[in-house]
Amino acid sequence: MNCIIVDDEPLARAEMKSLINETSKMEILGEFSNAPAALEFLKDNDADLIFLDIEMPMVTGLEFAEMLPNRSLVIFTTAYSQYALKSYELEAVDYLLKPIDPQRLKKAIEKAVLYTELLSKDTIKNTVESNTADFLFIKAERRFYKIGFSDIKFIEGLKDYVVIHTRQQKLITAMNLKTIHQKISSEKFIRVSKSYVVNADSIDSFDNHNIYIENSEIPIGEVYRAEFFAKYAGGFLNYD
């Protein structure tokens, strides 16, 4: 797997390069001080993963992410926490706050590696064939797999696909989040952001901004917050 680093601060790029080399075997194709230079590089080169700062001159990281080719995954790296929700709406793999913790970076890279494997040609053949009141049928390599709704922890939007996180595995299928949400129980599954649908029965804890399911932290979108608190907490909790 390869990557590029985009950050307007030379010291930040040097630190990121060192951390990547310490925590992974990833090939670093290049480093860039601004988004236009990186975009020009990507016209002739494929990058599996982009480590992307947000507050940069000319073109911000958020604006740049919207221009990227669909094949590239993004991990945002920034000193500002207020952009976290927007980054997930852009279907970023992860959002790392500076100074970046090496173990947190390692976890983010492992997630990116997994999603790169899921997005490989052989895996994307998965399709949702049908559904009942209790389960979905997923077709993969000429076989049908029965996925019970009770086994699904949450569903994540990723590029033009969704990743179904079950208790046993992760499955990717060519379908948008809105479509698959329409195929499953609306009472049990709650849309909590542009990129996530969660199984209410799988929630371990939550606060005003995030839902926690085992080791996963799922952001609650501003547009969806009132509906989530009304459905999950019965409207009895104050989320202001």
Side-chain angles (χ1 to χ4, degrees):
M1 188 173 181
N2 60 51
C3 69
I4 62 172
I5 302 167
V6 186
D7 197 309
D8 63 319
E9 298 180 7
L11 289 177
R13 293 198 304 274
E15 181 182 6
M16 178 57 65
K17 187 174 181 179
S18 176
L19 285 171
I20 292 170
N21 287 331
E22 287 176 11
T23 57
S24 75
K25 296 181 180 180
M26 190 173 299
E27 177 186 5
I28 302 174
L29 298 179
E31 52 183 272
F32 305 90
S33 61
N34 59 76
L39 195 60
E40 187 65 26
F41 174 82
L42 292 173
K43 288 180 180 178
D44 301 312
N45 301 273
D46 293 336
D48 299 321
L49 179 62
I50 300 172
F51 291 94
L52 182 58
D53 187 25
I54 291 181
E55 291 205 345
M56 296 187 295
M58 297 186 284
V59 179
T60 70
L62 295 175
E63 292 169 337
F64 178 50
E66 294 179 330
M67 306 175 190
L68 287 173
N70 205 39
R71 62 182 177 273
S72 297
L73 300 178
V74 172
I75 293 177
F76 283 106
T77 59
T78 178
Y80 304 96
S81 60
Q82 66 265 31
Y83 298 116
L85 186 59
K86 179 62 177 177
S87 76
Y88 285 114
E89 289 179 352
L90 292 170
E91 299 180 333
V93 170
D94 215 330
Y95 184 95
L96 303 178
L97 283 175
K98 300 175 181 176
I100 294 171
D101 177 72
Q103 290 304 311
R104 185 70 180 80
L105 173 63
K106 183 179 180 181
K107 183 178 178 181
I109 290 175
E110 288 172 350
K111 183 178 180 182
V113 170
L114 172 63
Y115 282 10
T116 298
E117 293 172 353
L118 289 175
L119 287 167
S120 66
K121 291 181 180 180
D122 291 339
T123 310
I124 289 176
K125 293 176 182 176
N126 295 351
T127 58
V128 175
E129 293 296 314
S130 65
N131 62 287
T132 72
D134 300 308
F135 52 82
L136 292 170
F137 279 115
I138 303 287
K139 185 179 181 182
E141 298 180 355
R142 301 182 182 180
R143 296 179 64 181
F144 294 91
Y145 294 86
K146 180 180 175 182
I147 308 297
F149 292 153
S150 59
D151 287 331
I152 298 174
K153 296 186 294 184
F154 60 93
I155 304 172
E156 177 183 7
L158 179 68
K159 303 294 183 179
D160 294 328
Y161 309 95
V162 294
V163 182
I164 303 171
H165 294 253
T166 75
R167 302 190 185 284
Q168 295 80 27
Q169 61 187 320
K170 297 178 180 68
L171 297 166
I172 191 167
T173 183
M175 178 180 290
N176 63 47
L177 201 61
K178 180 180 179 180
T179 301
I180 197 166
H181 191 205
Q182 292 171 343
K183 291 180 175 291
I184 56 183
S185 169
S186 60
E187 294 301 318
K188 178 177 291 188
F189 290 89
I190 307 171
R191 182 80 177 262
V192 297
S193 75
K194 184 178 177 180
S195 299
Y196 287 93
V197 169
V198 302
N199 183 342
D201 293 341
S202 295
I203 296 173
D204 294 317
S205 62
F206 63 94
D207 54 31
N208 285 357
H209 304 287
N210 296 290
I211 294 166
Y212 304 91
I213 300 177
E214 296 180 358
N215 295 323
S216 299
E217 180 178 317
I218 298 165
I220 304 173
E222 294 291 340
V223 175
Y224 301 89
R225 183 170 289 116
E227 181 182 2
F228 169 72
F229 274 79
K231 279 190 173 183
Y232 187 71
F236 291 108
L237 296 178
N238 182 7
Y239 59 89
D240 295 327

